[in-house]
Amino acid sequence: MFRKLPRGALPWMNGLVSIGSLLLCSQLLLLRIPGMTILGFSPQWLLMWVIAWSVKREMIYALLGAIAAAWIHDSLMVSALPSHLPGFVLVAYFVSRWRQQRYLQEDFIILALLVFVMTLAAEVIMAFQYLLWGLGSSGMLWGELQRIGLATAILSSLWAPLLCTPLVRWWDYVRMLDRQ
């Protein structure tokens, strides 16, 4: 799959790929490229990164990655409320739990479906936060959740194979070399 890397270069290369992909996703979050938006909404790049990160990770590492991605996402927002932290952490928790129970494969179709469902879950959690803080009525939030949730879930699941599959394969390769 990948050429054999020298043993000492692997941790550096893995750190570069991990941090570089996280920063790339945060930059893609700010872009509104024509043809990549539905109803003005773009894919949830950082949530896709959290899912790819959590697929083959122990729960503690999945949660730490989710916290880092959520803090980056929140730092790029105009408003401090609501936070992406609860949604990202819950997504990382469920994805890493399913990995431990061997429900997940690294097939790109499964990853796209997983991204679709987890994006909807994260958007529902965001809507609950709006409701808890009184930032909207339940009827208004339900309508917005349908628009925002479906648009971002569809876009994210369409772009998931492009982002998640190479990252999952890279981290599988690193894990395989570590076992040798």
Side-chain angles (χ1 to χ4, degrees):
M1 175 168 32
F2 297 100
R3 270 188 33 219
K4 181 95 170 140
L5 291 171
R7 198 74 157 139
L10 186 64
W12 289 99
M13 185 67 96
N14 188 36
L16 184 66
V17 168
S18 299
I19 293 171
S21 63
L22 182 61
L23 292 175
L24 175 68
C25 288
S26 65
Q27 294 301 312
L28 286 171
L29 192 65
L30 300 173
L31 292 177
R32 295 288 190 257
I33 299 171
M36 262 180 56
T37 60
I38 295 178
L39 301 172
F41 302 105
S42 64
Q44 278 277 13
W45 295 105
L46 286 171
L47 187 63
M48 285 189 281
W49 186 90
V50 167
I51 292 169
W53 175 262
S54 302
V55 165
K56 301 280 178 128
R57 296 266 188 267
E58 297 293 323
M59 185 164 317
I60 188 70
Y61 298 117
L63 294 176
L64 289 174
I67 290 169
W71 282 347
I72 291 171
H73 199 299
D74 288 344
S75 72
L76 297 173
M77 290 181 55
V78 175
S79 170
L81 295 176
S83 173
H84 288 85
L85 187 64
F88 280 26
V89 166
L90 195 66
V91 164
Y93 173 78
F94 282 123
V95 171
S96 68
R97 290 279 296 166
W98 287 332
R99 178 208 63 89
Q100 291 171 354
Q101 297 173 4
R102 308 276 189 252
Y103 291 138
L104 295 179
Q105 303 291 327
E106 60 268 359
D107 184 55
F108 71 92
I109 295 171
I110 299 294
L111 283 171
L113 182 61
L114 183 66
V115 166
F116 182 83
V117 171
M118 290 294 118
T119 302
L120 282 177
E123 293 298 332
V124 166
I125 292 168
M126 187 70 72
F128 278 134
Q129 289 181 55
Y130 275 107
L131 197 59
L132 286 174
W133 287 316
L135 298 175
S137 68
S138 59
M140 186 264 309
L141 288 174
W142 176 248
E144 289 298 309
L145 175 64
Q146 290 176 0
R147 267 181 6 127
I148 296 169
L150 284 176
T152 57
I154 289 169
L155 281 171
S156 297
S157 65
L158 289 174
W159 284 97
L162 182 69
L163 178 72
C164 294
T165 304
L167 287 174
V168 169
R169 289 194 179 173
W170 167 257
W171 289 321
D172 278 344
Y173 172 71
V174 169
R175 205 169 294 109
M176 181 209 45
L177 286 181
D178 281 343
R179 286 187 198 131
Q180 291 178 353

